[in-house]
Amino acid sequence: MYCVRLLLLLCLLAASCPAQAQQYNFRSWTLEQGLPQSQITAILQDGQGFLWLGTRGGLSRFDGIDFHNYTERDGLPSHNISTLFQDSQQRLWIGTASAGVAVYDGSGFRQMGTAEGLPASQIHAISEDSLGRIWLATSQGAYYQSKGKFRLYEALPKGAYTAICHAPGGTLWAGTREKGLYKVDGGQVSRYTVYNSALPGNGITALSVAPGGTLWIGTDKGPAKMQDGSITAPPLPRVVSAPTVSSFAHDRHGNVWIGLLRNGLLKYDGEKYTHLTRLNGLRTPRISSLTADTEGNIWIGTNGYGLQQYKSPWFVHYFDFGSMSEPRITALACDSSGTMWMGTDEGKFASMRRNRPVWRTGTPWPDGTTLYGIYPRNRRERWICSSNGIWLMRQDTTLHYSTAHGLPSPEVFQAAADTASTLWVATAAGLAYFQNSVFVPVASPTGAAAKVNCVFRDSRGNIWAGTEDAIYRVEDRKLVSPPELGQLDFSEVRSITEDKMGNLYFSGFNQGILMLASNGARLFTAEDGLPTVAINTLFVDGQDNLWVATSRNVLKLRLPQLRRNGRLNYRTYASQNGFRGLEVCDNAMTQSPDGTMWFGTTKGLTQYIPSLDRRNAIYPKVMLTDVMLYSKPTDWQALGYATDSVTGLPQNLRLPYTQNYLSFDFHAICLSGPEQVRYRYRLMGFDGQWSPPVEQSFTTYANLSPGTYTFELLARNNDGFWATEPVTYTFSIVPPIWRREWFVGVLLLVAAGSVLSVVRLRERSLVKMNSLLEMRVSHRTRLLERKNREKEMLLQEIHHRVKNNLQIVISMLNLQARHVQDPQAADVMQALRSRVRSMSILHERLYQLAEQDSINLEEYFEEICESLYAAYGVSNRRIALEIDMPQLKVNIDPAITLGLIVNELVSNALKYGFPDGKPGVLRIELRKHDEVQYTLTVSDNGRGMPPDFDPGNSRSFGLKLVKSLSRKLQGDIKFITDNGTKSILHFVLAP
């Protein structure tokens, strides 16, 4: 009876735990993508980054996107490739199963067989020693190359050798089909078998030396390693039933990858094996070849299923759970004990134990119930939010709460407890809290029943609610709009989280991310660098990263940089770099205590292991693949140009000016993400600016002018690392014959000769013409000089007569002044005489000077002042005269105007500035500011103007005259009383 019960229990457990396995990131290529044959017997990455594949149907070169296949038509001795090797001279050695060995130097294949001393036709392995000699493991013995010939290595016994390699110290290792392993060191030969060592089997299938010097030995009974002179065989997993080793690979992180001929793939990390089979993503357990590229990817050749690539080990997927294929994980949480809980949109519920989900049977809710959220309140109870109310699951009982218990809606999305242990829930019809076994709805500030998508408790104990309309905070069990957000309009809030500094983050679908910090709120959108604003879920992990789930991918955003300078620094995870879950469900992200991130997606569950996440820092291998004329394939050799034997590009390309339309094809090898490679280029001599990053791998330059150009090309890998040095290609466009230097030189010589001939002929006629012209010019010059003298005499006579007339006027004024008894009238007469005298002085100077159109202003002012001093009986001893002005000559009209102004200002100073014979100084100063603007200052240190004197309202005729004359010079005059009187005139002298 006990056995029957035990059997039933085991059956029940088997039903509750369907078969499942972790799935890793594998990509596959088959005949449909261009492989020549589906049996991959050898894989090798060359120095340029290309992946070379040996198959039973020929050789193929793979750049991550396209396959370039080689067959017997291309010179390959056989389609049946058995092994590949690249020597120190970058030559590719191809071992075949039926036609010996061939070498490829980039331009063609050269077969080596009996003519080179190699009778064996079946080549199993190739190696190179420290002297550069090539060694072959063949079905008839071990051979080495010397002086272009192959010789049998007689130190080893004859027989079938299946593997050969050289250790860094020069030791030769050779594996046989049935007789174990041979070691040749310094001429001494040692043999290892199952009888004298820990070799699992005597049939050696593969040999490989790890970067640290450890020799890995593949046998028909499993792998072993030679380290420190001894052989050990780490125990294999019990599930490995057929341990025959086909190949080894060593990645950059110290892991050894072992391909099994019929039992999948093994990964050895130095301590334990990880076994990968079809359940983990392999297409077949029949592994025939392996290699690790420089970027850390593992390439797997299969026996009949093509090529596979293992990449992005930091993501592990759980997509198939027995009868459930790709379930939609809509609820995900981790409790305080580290147990993971998850639920689906069909009501399935499970816990994760040792990274294996255990699905629960007999769940209390109806089938088809969508589980929206899981809130593990403690180890004993969990609140399950669903489309059918909320469920409280304890170890011994389960309680169900629905609208009958006060819930605003049967759809409950999320739950959180406040500091008083009160449970708050977000429902489709509003927020509610749990009290006395019932739920109490909380009214919206708008009065309408608003959908609440999420509820969150921050580190300060505040409860936040994200609704379709806005963000709210709970205060006194009421929803209030936080004043910190101001008038910010932020709706359709889907998720809320908090970082370790207390900053809150809100996701708004189609709006972006809102950050609420102590110094205010900030919204991040596409303008700030977000790839999309369709944000579903946010989560802050223990490493201070903000995980952002969008409708297309997942972002890991570094929060320290965001808090420091407000910039978004993130890494994107999508299907190209391992995240195959498509879309993360709402609030279905969590982190386990070991730092692993978990994502509930539309395809199942995805695990992220941060310790395995490494960015690809290997720069892409950039190459120029073709140069074409007029965007068409060009046979450069047919056009007479020498081409590079490896690249096929023309060398020392010099094109005529009619062939100035060039196209460049290029390619960069990035095996981790070839579709994410981006390019930048420029043509020096045409445009010095780099192009923006582009996806297309070609560019065209049309209508290039004659000259020398250099095309420069850069590429970026899938993780954003740009190559440091550009690939360059230099070419020239030759100008037409009439623009070449020698042709221009000949033309110049011909032109110069013609010009000289014409010049000599012209010289003779010009001499005659010059003589005649000189006579005519001499005659005309004499006539002009005579007329000029007549005009000068006439002008002098005019100035003399004007001066005489003015003197007559002055004399008449003097006669009249003798009969004037009124002192005021006498002053008027005196002022008139001085004004007329200033004009008379001007004409007198013009009469005396040779130049009749301008006058030296300083000398003119001096004569005006001398006349005024004499008129007023003032000597220079009593009132000193100082004139400070540059040498300036002006025309008659402005000279008369300035002379009248100076006459009036100096007259006023002499009349009123120094009463009772008081001594002083009178100063005239002229300053030039630019070509037309000047300042004239007339100042004295006399008694100054009366305190109640207003120049603007003065009835003085002299002041009115000065203002009127100032306007004639486009000037402005002002008067200042400061230890005397200062008159400042700003005026303009037209050139």
Side-chain angles (χ1 to χ4, degrees):
M1 185 67 179
Y2 175 80
C3 293
V4 173
R5 289 180 179 176
L6 180 59
L7 180 61
L8 291 175
L9 179 59
L10 291 175
C11 292
L12 180 61
L13 289 174
S16 63
C17 300
Q20 54 223 339
Q22 301 173 348
Q23 295 186 27
Y24 300 93
N25 289 299
F26 288 95
R27 296 178 67 188
S28 300
W29 291 266
T30 62
L31 300 180
E32 296 177 354
Q33 285 79 41
L35 269 175
Q37 206 265 344
S38 59
Q39 293 174 285
I40 312 296
T41 56
I43 310 176
L44 176 144
Q45 187 181 26
D46 66 13
Q48 290 184 305
F50 287 107
L51 208 66
W52 290 87
L53 310 173
T55 75
R56 299 292 299 275
L59 182 66
S60 184
R61 189 184 71 181
F62 183 49
D63 60 10
I65 299 177
D66 299 317
F67 293 92
H68 184 81
N69 300 322
Y70 300 88
T71 64
E72 293 178 357
R73 293 181 179 179
D74 303 294
L76 200 65
S78 171
H79 289 165
N80 198 352
I81 311 300
S82 57
T83 186
L84 297 172
F85 179 79
Q86 188 175 34
D87 64 15
S88 57
Q89 300 180 38
Q90 303 302 307
R91 297 177 300 178
L92 180 66
W93 291 81
I94 304 106
T96 71
S98 58
V101 69
V103 62
Y104 178 72
D105 59 4
S107 59
F109 296 92
R110 182 167 64 93
Q111 184 178 0
M112 296 183 181
T114 55
E116 287 76 23
L118 182 65
S121 60
Q122 190 174 13
I123 311 299
H124 295 291
I126 306 174
S127 182
E128 183 181 15
D129 63 16
S130 58
L131 300 177
R133 297 181 299 179
I134 299 299
W135 292 73
L136 306 177
T138 77
S139 57
Q140 299 183 24
Y143 286 81
Y144 68 96
Q145 188 186 37
S146 176
K147 298 180 180 180
K149 297 289 185 178
F150 282 98
R151 303 178 185 276
L152 179 66
Y153 187 58
E154 297 180 352
L156 292 174
K158 291 184 178 181
Y161 286 85
T162 55
I164 194 167
C165 70
H166 287 83
T171 302
L172 171 67
W173 296 92
T176 67
R177 182 171 294 169
E178 297 176 349
K179 297 180 181 180
L181 178 67
Y182 285 93
K183 173 186 177 182
V184 181
D185 188 5
Q188 183 177 359
V189 180
S190 305
R191 181 185 175 198
Y192 299 87
T193 66
V194 296
Y195 305 109
N196 63 0
S197 69
L199 268 181
N202 284 335
I204 308 300
T205 57
L207 292 174
S208 179
V209 179
T214 301
L215 175 70
W216 281 85
I217 309 160
T219 75
D220 55 355
K221 303 297 183 183
K225 61 178 180 177
M226 169 71 78
Q227 193 172 21
D228 299 328
S230 61
I231 296 178
T232 59
L236 296 174
R238 288 179 296 176
V239 294
V240 178
S241 57
T244 301
V245 176
S246 63
S247 54
F248 292 100
H250 308 275
D251 65 21
R252 294 189 301 159
H253 314 301
N255 300 309
V256 181
W257 295 81
I258 306 167
L260 302 179
L261 198 60
R262 295 180 178 273
N263 213 173
L265 189 63
L266 291 173
K267 173 188 173 184
Y268 183 69
D269 62 3
E271 298 179 357
K272 64 180 186 303
Y273 284 105
T274 301
H275 187 210
L276 282 72
T277 65
R278 294 184 68 174
L279 295 176
N280 305 112
L282 280 174
R283 297 195 66 197
T284 176
R286 299 174 182 267
I287 309 301
S288 55
S289 55
L290 289 175
T291 196
D293 64 26
T294 56
E295 300 169 25
N297 305 300
I298 303 299
W299 293 88
I300 306 154
T302 69
N303 188 4
Y305 287 83
L307 177 69
Q308 284 197 276
Q309 179 196 37
Y310 172 75
K311 58 178 291 187
S312 306
W314 45 86
F315 282 112
V316 181
H317 310 284
Y318 302 83
F319 289 163
D320 295 314
F321 302 103
S323 59
M324 287 187 296
S325 179
E326 296 189 358
R328 186 183 179 94
I329 306 298
T330 52
L332 196 62
C334 182
D335 63 20
S336 58
S337 66
T339 302
M340 293 282 304
W341 300 90
M342 63 180 178
T344 74
D345 62 342
E346 294 295 329
K348 304 298 181 181
F349 186 65
S351 61
M352 292 287 290
R353 295 179 181 176
R354 296 180 181 178
N355 290 347
R356 296 182 64 86
V358 178
W359 295 94
R360 302 299 179 92
T361 59
T363 52
W365 43 81
D367 291 340
T369 300
T370 300
L371 305 185
Y372 290 119
I374 302 172
Y375 178 60
R377 194 163 187 176
N378 50 53
R379 294 186 178 183
R380 294 183 300 274
E381 64 179 39
R382 293 166 296 280
W383 291 85
I384 313 300
C385 305
S386 74
S387 60
N388 191 14
I390 188 167
W391 304 76
L392 174 58
M393 298 184 67
R394 297 192 176 103
Q395 294 180 350
D396 54 350
T397 184
T398 300
L399 301 177
H400 179 221
Y401 298 92
S402 64
T403 53
H405 300 86
L407 280 175
S409 169
E411 287 194 287
V412 182
F413 304 118
Q414 203 174 20
D418 61 17
T419 54
S421 298
T422 301
L423 186 74
W424 295 78
V425 294
T427 76
L431 187 70
Y433 62 90
F434 189 62
Q435 186 178 31
N436 299 328
S437 301
V438 296
F439 282 90
V440 180
V442 178
S444 171
T446 62
K451 179 182 178 182
V452 180
N453 296 312
C454 53
V455 61
F456 180 80
R457 189 187 83 180
D458 65 18
S459 58
R460 302 173 184 84
N462 299 312
I463 295 294
W464 295 81
T467 74
E468 290 291 290
D469 302 326
I471 300 171
Y472 296 105
R473 186 170 58 210
V474 175
E475 295 182 3
D476 297 330
R477 298 194 174 181
K478 295 181 180 179
L479 292 176
V480 298
S481 297
E484 306 95 298
L485 298 180
Q487 301 298 321
L488 187 64
D489 184 17
F490 196 72
S491 59
E492 200 171 347
V493 183
R494 305 282 283 271
S495 182
I496 308 173
T497 189
E498 183 183 21
D499 65 18
K500 64 181 183 181
M501 305 301 294
N503 302 312
L504 290 170
Y505 302 88
F506 305 86
S507 69
F509 194 76
N510 287 332
Q511 295 196 60
I513 301 174
L514 177 65
M515 176 183 177
L516 181 59
S518 58
N519 58 352
R522 179 177 176 183
L523 179 63
F524 294 92
T525 63
E527 296 180 355
D528 302 289
L530 275 179
T532 177
V533 293
I535 310 297
N536 292 332
T537 303
L538 302 175
F539 184 84
V540 175
D541 65 14
Q543 288 72 43
D544 209 15
N545 300 305
L546 175 64
W547 289 87
V548 182
T550 75
S551 57
R552 302 179 63 180
N553 47 34
V554 174
L555 312 178
K556 184 173 73 172
L557 194 150
R558 292 291 298 148
L559 286 177
Q561 184 172 351
L562 178 65
R563 292 191 295 262
R564 185 169 56 252
N565 53 30
R567 295 181 180 177
L568 300 178
N569 178 21
Y570 58 84
R571 187 178 180 191
T572 303
Y573 297 98
S575 59
Q576 297 91 339
N577 48 8
F579 187 78
R580 294 161 48 205
L582 296 181
E583 186 175 3
V584 178
C585 298
D586 288 350
N587 296 303
M589 284 196 290
T590 191
Q591 188 176 32
S592 55
D594 62 355
T596 300
M597 282 292 300
W598 297 85
F599 304 89
T601 73
T602 56
K603 294 186 67 174
L605 185 65
T606 292
Q607 177 187 16
Y608 170 77
I609 307 170
S611 61
L612 299 180
D613 191 356
R614 298 175 179 90
R615 300 189 70 181
N616 179 19
I618 303 300
Y619 302 124
K621 303 288 186 179
V622 191
M623 61 196 71
L624 190 62
T625 57
D626 200 2
V627 178
M628 298 179 291
L629 286 174
Y630 301 100
S631 301
K632 297 179 181 180
T634 305
D635 188 349
W636 293 106
Q637 290 184 341
L639 294 177
Y641 294 95
T643 57
D644 187 274
S645 60
V646 177
T647 64
L649 301 178
Q651 297 177 321
N652 302 320
L653 183 60
R654 289 174 57 84
L655 294 168
Y657 71 98
T658 56
Q659 296 178 342
N660 61 351
Y661 190 105
L662 263 70
S663 298
F664 298 91
D665 278 1
F666 38 84
H667 184 71
I669 298 178
C670 174
L671 298 178
S672 297
E675 63 281 347
Q676 296 172 270
V677 171
R678 297 295 180 267
Y679 302 93
R680 296 174 64 190
Y681 50 82
R682 64 182 178 181
L683 186 63
M684 298 301 294
F686 176 78
D687 185 6
Q689 298 296 323
W690 287 100
S691 71
V694 295
E695 182 178 357
Q696 67 268 17
S697 58
F698 63 90
T699 186
T700 297
Y701 294 94
N703 299 322
L704 292 174
S705 301
T708 300
Y709 301 92
T710 299
F711 181 72
E712 296 185 351
L713 174 68
L714 290 173
R716 185 190 71 188
N717 70 4
N718 59 311
D719 277 334
F721 287 88
W722 287 94
T724 55
E725 293 294 332
V727 171
T728 62
Y729 181 80
T730 301
F731 63 96
S732 300
I733 304 293
V734 179
I737 188 172
W738 57 85
R739 292 184 58 184
R740 299 184 188 179
E741 294 180 358
W742 65 266
F743 186 81
V744 173
V746 171
L747 286 180
L748 290 176
L749 289 175
V750 173
S754 301
V755 169
L756 286 175
S757 300
V758 173
V759 167
R760 288 178 179 177
L761 291 175
R762 289 288 297 170
E763 279 182 352
R764 297 175 182 176
S765 61
L766 288 175
V767 169
K768 295 178 181 180
M769 293 179 63
N770 284 341
S771 299
L772 180 60
L773 288 175
E774 286 178 358
M775 294 174 61
R776 291 179 179 179
V777 168
S778 177
H779 178 67
R780 291 292 180 92
T781 301
R782 288 194 297 271
L783 291 177
L784 290 175
E785 288 177 350
R786 184 188 303 169
K787 291 182 178 180
N788 191 37
R789 285 195 298 270
E790 292 176 353
K791 288 181 179 180
E792 288 179 356
M793 292 176 63
L794 179 60
L795 187 58
Q796 287 180 349
E797 182 64 23
I798 291 173
H799 286 301
H800 181 64
R801 290 183 179 276
V802 171
K803 176 252 184 186
N804 289 339
N805 292 334
L806 291 175
Q807 286 292 341
I808 294 172
V809 173
I810 293 172
S811 299
M812 293 174 65
L813 290 173
N814 287 331
L815 290 174
Q816 185 66 37
R818 294 175 184 175
H819 302 284
V820 174
Q821 301 299 324
D822 185 5
Q824 187 174 1
D827 289 341
V828 171
M829 297 297 290
Q830 179 66 23
L832 286 173
R833 286 198 304 270
S834 64
R835 291 163 188 160
V836 176
R837 177 60 180 165
S838 66
M839 291 186 287
S840 174
I841 292 171
L842 175 65
H843 286 282
E844 183 178 2
R845 294 199 60 83
L846 289 174
Y847 165 69
Q848 295 173 351
L849 294 175
E851 297 179 2
Q852 305 295 322
D853 58 346
S854 61
I855 187 170
N856 187 300
L857 203 58
E858 182 179 7
E859 296 176 356
Y860 179 39
F861 286 174
E862 287 180 351
E863 292 195 20
I864 290 175
C865 292
E866 288 176 1
S867 174
L868 291 174
Y869 269 60
Y872 288 102
V874 178
S875 66
N876 281 329
R877 294 181 180 179
R878 185 168 72 88
I879 301 177
L881 176 64
E882 296 179 358
I883 298 178
D884 182 9
M885 56 192 301
Q887 290 293 325
L888 181 65
K889 290 186 177 183
V890 298
N891 295 330
I892 298 175
D893 287 345
I896 292 175
T897 304
L898 288 171
L900 291 173
I901 292 173
V902 170
N903 179 85
E904 293 299 324
L905 297 177
V906 172
S907 297
N908 289 339
L910 296 177
K911 288 168 59 178
Y912 307 111
F914 304 95
D916 303 327
K918 183 179 179 182
V921 177
L922 177 63
R923 181 176 178 80
I924 300 175
E925 182 180 1
L926 181 67
R927 290 287 177 262
K928 181 178 181 180
H929 301 294
D930 53 32
E931 295 299 324
V932 296
Q933 298 190 56
Y934 297 83
T935 299
L936 175 66
T937 304
V938 179
S939 59
D940 62 67
N941 59 352
R943 68 176 183 178
M945 292 182 290
D948 57 347
F949 181 75
D950 183 7
N953 297 322
S954 174
R955 296 182 179 181
S956 170
F957 176 77
L959 291 180
K960 289 181 179 180
L961 178 61
V962 169
K963 290 180 181 179
S964 176
L965 293 173
S966 300
R967 288 193 293 271
K968 185 178 179 182
L969 295 174
Q970 304 179 37
D972 177 56
I973 190 167
K974 60 181 180 179
F975 303 94
I976 300 174
T977 299
D978 183 13
N979 294 325
T981 302
K982 182 181 292 186
S983 303
I984 303 173
L985 171 64
H986 299 281
F987 64 95
V988 174
L989 282 181

